[in-house]
Amino acid sequence: MKRDLIVLADMYGCPNRCRHCWLGHMPNKNMPDNADKMIVNYFKPYFDSITFYSWVREPDFCGDYEQRWLRDNEISINAKPQRFELASFRRLAHDKNYVRFLRSVGVSKVQLTFFGTEEMTDKYVGRKGAFLELMKAAEILTDNNISPRFQAFINSENADDVVRLLSIIEDMKLSERCKSFGGEFSFFVHSGSCDGENRKLYSLRINKEDIPSQLIPYYNDYSETKTEAELCELLKNSDERFVYHNDNEITLNIANNFDVYFNFTHMFPAWKIGNILTDDSKELYGKIIEEDIPALDIARNTAVSELVRKFGDPQSHKIFDCIDDYKAYLLNEQVNILI
Ligand code: SF4
């Protein structure tokens, strides 16, 4: 049975070093120009369609982003890449042609990520000036009839600052501005998953009762969130194995050294499938179909109750946005010990 492949290659990197980055920080390095075709040809015999994206991290980070978009379309097979609601806020702030490009490819909404106001956002994006760029990007988007969607990651260090961000949003009158062109501004708050870089922020994960009341109406699916203590209680007798699994559509992330990963969680060694430069394509395809990687072997052989017993904190009120985020956090604790 053939399947559909979506492949995201880290051909250019990312200007930011966000502390919540679920992929994990990786050095920026341009892949060779012919890497795109090489990757598509490598997987071509095994899939009905291949959708190729030249970025895993920052979209449109390369200088010639218009040509790059055309090329991603051209080399995809029986499929076309989509824009989603993602764009480079850095490029929006510094490249006046960029917003026109976004409009030309049908973008009507762009997500912008905050961690509070200037100091916290710059700190958590890992770059001075990030907050001012985000503010400028929001203005440019609304001036060009594109709706910004703000998301804020919250933890115990920045909670009060996210409340201050709410006042700034109100002062900017973004809802009214979007309504004037038939768009819609939205804002939501969440804690993010607990993998990649965000895993290092476990100690700062906010207690559920400490979410400021002003932010609860904006918290994403707040009624679905649980404390770690509640999750430990729910899962302490669970025989389930928490195993990520693909259906017919498979998404692969390709690092700039051609290492191949599923998009299940972070791009860390235990989750690596293989390498395009050194592995035979048939063998690597077999591993993809069998989902044969070290971390998933551990997942298949470890009951969630065991993960809770070893790594759960039944006294903790730290918030988790969904039960699978917590299972993934526990599983990665086990994976890190064994590999
Ligand atoms: S979260 Fe996105 S923008 Fe931030 S470092 Fe990771 S890939 Fe780059």
Side-chain angles (χ1 to χ4, degrees):
M1 181 176 53
K2 284 204 175 184
R3 293 172 167 86
D4 299 310
L5 176 68
I6 297 168
V7 57
L8 300 102
D10 188 24
M11 286 191 69
Y12 307 100
C14 176
N16 307 320
R17 289 293 176 272
C18 305
R19 294 192 184 195
H20 74 294
C21 183
W22 67 277
L23 292 165
H25 290 167
M26 293 171 272
N28 283 355
K29 188 182 103 182
N30 282 6
M31 293 177 86
D33 286 343
N34 66 347
D36 50 6
K37 200 71 186 159
M38 189 195 300
I39 292 166
V40 169
N41 286 341
Y42 186 87
F43 290 113
K44 196 172 162 182
Y46 311 106
F47 291 93
D48 284 327
S49 74
I50 299 180
T51 315
F52 183 82
Y53 292 86
S54 52
W55 56 276
V56 180
R57 295 189 280 164
E58 178 88 337
D60 309 316
F61 186 39
C62 73
D64 199 355
Y65 50 86
E66 291 180 74
Q67 282 308 313
R68 186 63 258 179
W69 171 247
L70 294 176
R71 175 92 177 140
D72 285 7
N73 274 272
E74 180 192 310
I75 66 170
S76 294
I77 299 172
N78 297 330
K80 293 289 172 209
Q82 299 172 43
R83 292 299 311 185
F84 306 108
E85 291 165 359
L86 301 173
S88 165
F89 68 88
R90 179 176 178 270
R91 190 169 287 290
L92 269 166
H94 297 291
D95 174 348
K96 65 179 178 356
N97 292 319
Y98 183 51
V99 73
R100 276 182 233 141
F101 165 72
L102 293 178
R103 280 180 56 92
S104 74
V105 292
V107 172
S108 60
K109 187 175 276 198
V110 167
Q111 179 163 284
L112 300 173
T113 301
F114 293 83
F115 299 84
T117 62
E118 185 166 0
E119 191 182 338
M120 281 295 165
T121 296
D122 285 3
K123 173 177 171 177
Y124 276 84
V125 172
R127 198 157 58 72
K128 198 153 178 47
F131 180 79
L132 294 179
E133 286 176 3
L134 284 159
M135 289 286 113
K136 191 169 174 191
E139 296 280 342
I140 290 169
L141 288 169
T142 47
D143 284 349
N144 287 275
N145 297 0
I146 298 176
S147 301
R149 178 176 67 199
F150 282 18
Q151 67 164 341
F153 283 83
I154 190 171
N155 62 32
S156 60
E157 186 184 38
N158 71 355
D160 293 339
D161 206 39
V162 176
V163 176
R164 285 190 280 277
L165 175 66
L166 196 52
S167 312
I168 292 175
I169 290 170
E170 281 159 12
D171 290 348
M172 290 174 83
K173 305 212 177 308
L174 289 167
S175 291
E176 291 86 334
R177 292 176 67 164
C178 288
K179 270 188 200 141
S180 73
F181 59 83
E184 186 184 20
F185 172 73
S186 53
F187 170 58
F188 70 98
V189 177
H190 62 139
S191 299
S193 56
C194 199
D195 47 4
E197 297 302 313
N198 218 15
R199 200 171 145 268
K200 297 175 188 161
L201 301 179
Y202 171 81
S203 62
L204 289 179
R205 190 161 276 264
I206 192 166
N207 288 340
K208 186 168 176 176
E209 64 272 21
D210 294 335
I211 303 284
S213 58
Q214 305 93 309
L215 297 179
I216 289 177
Y218 300 98
Y219 203 99
N220 201 26
D221 285 334
Y222 181 77
S223 60
E224 298 298 311
T225 64
K226 295 208 166 15
T227 66
E228 183 169 13
E230 289 170 326
L231 289 162
C232 286
E233 184 60 30
L234 265 175
L235 298 172
K236 69 182 183 189
N237 297 316
S238 171
D239 290 335
E240 181 204 351
R241 269 63 174 163
F242 180 65
V243 186
Y244 291 93
H245 178 58
N246 286 306
D247 293 319
N248 279 352
E249 184 180 274
I250 295 172
T251 301
L252 298 176
N253 294 340
I254 316 288
N256 58 22
N257 62 358
F258 292 88
D259 281 347
V260 182
Y261 299 82
F262 294 116
N263 73 332
F264 292 154
T265 173
H266 44 221
M267 293 166 73
F268 287 7
W271 293 91
K272 179 177 145 182
I273 308 167
N275 182 285
I276 287 174
L277 297 182
T278 57
D279 294 346
D280 174 70
S281 67
K282 201 169 175 187
E283 278 176 30
L284 195 134
Y285 176 69
K287 285 186 164 192
I288 291 169
I289 297 308
E290 297 298 320
E291 297 175 344
D292 175 16
I293 57 173
L296 287 181
D297 285 345
I298 292 170
R300 280 185 276 266
N301 287 309
T302 318
V304 168
S305 55
E306 185 183 338
L307 296 174
V308 171
R309 199 166 53 251
K310 281 185 171 166
F311 308 110
D313 178 355
Q315 307 304 321
S316 157
H317 284 207
K318 293 182 190 308
I319 195 167
F320 281 83
D321 295 350
C322 71
I323 195 165
D324 281 358
D325 281 355
Y326 188 58
K327 290 177 193 168
Y329 158 70
L330 294 176
L331 174 60
N332 273 317
E333 291 292 292
Q334 175 82 333
V335 167
N336 282 348
I337 284 177
L338 295 182
I339 295 178

